Amino acid sequence: MTATTPPVSSLEEIQTPPRPAPSGLSTRLDVLDRLVALGEGRIDQSLMDDAAALLTRAGERLRLSGEHTVVALAGGTGSGKSSLFNAVCGLELSPTGLRRPMTSSAHACVWGLGGAGPLLDWLEIESRHRYARASALDGEGQVGSLQGLVLLDLPDHDSIRAAHLAEVDKYVSVADLIVWVLDPQKYADFAVHRRYFEQLSGHTGVTLIILNQIDRLEPEEVTECVKDLRRLLEAEGMGGPTILTTSAKAGTGVDGFREVLADAVAARQARLDRLVADIDRLVKRFEGQYGPAEPAEKVDDRRAAALVEALADAAGVPAVAESMESAYSLRAHDYVGWPVGRLAARMHSDPLRRMRLGELRQELRAAFTTPVNAQQAHVDNALQEVTEGVVEDLPPSWQRSVREAGRSKAEQLPESLGNALRDVVPTFNQIPAWWWIVRAWQWVLIAASVLGLVWLGTIVAYGALKLGHAPWTVLGDTGLIPYVCLLIVCALGLGAFTSSAARNMIALSSVRHSERLEERMRSGINESARTLVLEPVERELAVYKTFREELSTAISPLVH
């Protein structure tokens, strides 16, 4: 019989509004979407790509007609797939014959036009290969029973043409219900079992196996073939497969096959069952990303403290603190030392002291004006150690992502550590109040000594040498000479005592000052470590915890 039905229109049909996805499926798609968002850039990219492709396909299929069920007839060369397609349709729509392959492009026969056009466009069925079943061409009751069926005849999966194989792969991955047509001679073909049946092990509910051409076998041979085929399928993970036997040539079993299709179309559940099966299969691939133990939420205090200590050592904080202690001591001595002693020091220059001051200035200038030239090996070891304790129970991919998070801002560490050291400069340059007091007191004593010497000279000039008449008695009374000398000695003695006491105070205060500055530097390094290392690690741990919770939600339907 020659097909006289017109091709199905693709754009001008009245579309049937698609049914919304059941809440369970919608929830699982939402969870999968969140898993993709959380796992992007962290776990296997091929898995992420497959998940994203499934989300896209599911969204597109759910937006299209829910009144239609897409059934794909797949099979190898000579299996009688196209003959079975024509037998179900009741028309010679797909070419058959001895020349192989006969079906070069997918053919579609549609029962019910409403909403089918956009669906066929999505399936990329060529307009010349689209056919609509009209009631005038059907037997009584058949149109109603198959209303909503979109039956596809695919190219041979074992075709020598790569384009045919790619087309089969495409439709097998998107059809709501997959029907594999096998023949008694090649039903155990390694290619179809390895390439398709093993991959569809979780899709038993949306996969139908047909052993065609049984007219070539004796009844007992049919039973043996079905038994052997079932054994092969169950060994590949297809538990309880549905197997039908037909002969498209003799018409045997075609009505039974049509009834199965009618039941699937009437239930309008195959579309959703297929998506659920696809999600289940994909979620199983995620199971390796589910760590057995509850992940840590933060880096423990011991490791955080060890990180700060390692960064402080790498930045040379102890050496800088020691240099600042020496510089503080030298500055203090220069500022509050006994002026007479400083004058004597200037009389004979100390080259070692000048060299030490030059070295200190150079060390402090390098510490305070440039990024820290930290020991990279120490920094690397510190960054590795801080994550080791928190990644032990994580899956390998998440161990890698947490470690990468700990190193994500490593390039900013030298400058940040340098800023932590530079922040102490204002404190280092401050002049303590007691320095001012000691210095003022020393100059008072110097002034007293100078006045005493002037007074002593005046008494000697006017009283002892009689060089003139003293304007005041106290300036010429030689009896005051011992007292004036005592005044001078006391002033100089107080100055020496003050200088000695100041040295003791300088020794104590320089140590305390160095400790305070070192504490401030370590505080800054602690802030750098938290901002640039610990917080990225803890954020990544939080992402993994959320991912693990979402994955638990996705896995739970498989467990129960």
Side-chain angles (χ1 to χ4, degrees), residues 389-406:
V390 297
V391 301
E392 294 175 351
D393 297 323
L394 271 59
S397 57
W398 286 96
Q399 289 184 9
R400 182 176 60 254
S401 70
V402 170
R403 291 192 180 104
E404 289 176 353

Side-chain angles (χ1 to χ4, degrees), residues 4 29 33 71 104-105 113 131 133 146 170 181 264 290 294 327 345 382 504 521 542 554 559:
T4 58
L29 288 172
D33 186 43
V71 179
S104 59
S105 298
L113 298 179
Y131 302 95
R133 286 295 274 118
L146 295 180
K170 179 181 72 172
V181 182
Y290 188 88
E294 188 73 20
N504 293 332
M521 286 188 289
V559 176

Side-chain angles (χ1 to χ4, degrees), residues 176-195:
D176 301 331
L177 181 64
I178 309 167
V179 178
W180 286 97
V181 182
L182 307 176
D183 67 82
Q185 293 182 335
K186 297 192 296 182
Y187 69 84
D189 181 38
F190 177 79
V192 68
H193 283 265
R194 181 64 179 272
R195 185 177 181 88

Side-chain angles (χ1 to χ4, degrees), residues 44 68 77-78 86 91 98 106 128 163 178 193 211 215 225 274 276 317 322 386 393 451 456 480 502 541 546:
D44 181 49
H68 289 83
T77 303
N86 292 335
L91 299 170
L98 298 177
R128 61 193 180 94
I178 309 167
H193 283 265
L211 184 64
D215 56 297
C225 284
R274 172 60 195 267
V276 169
V317 168
E322 183 180 352
V386 76
D393 297 323
L451 289 175
L456 180 62
L480 295 176
L541 289 173
T546 303

Side-chain angles (χ1 to χ4, degrees), residues 145-161:
S145 63
L146 295 180
Q147 186 74 13
L149 173 64
V150 177
L151 187 62
L152 305 181
D153 182 22
L154 305 185
D156 299 336
H157 73 80
D158 54 359
S159 171
I160 60 175
R161 299 179 185 178

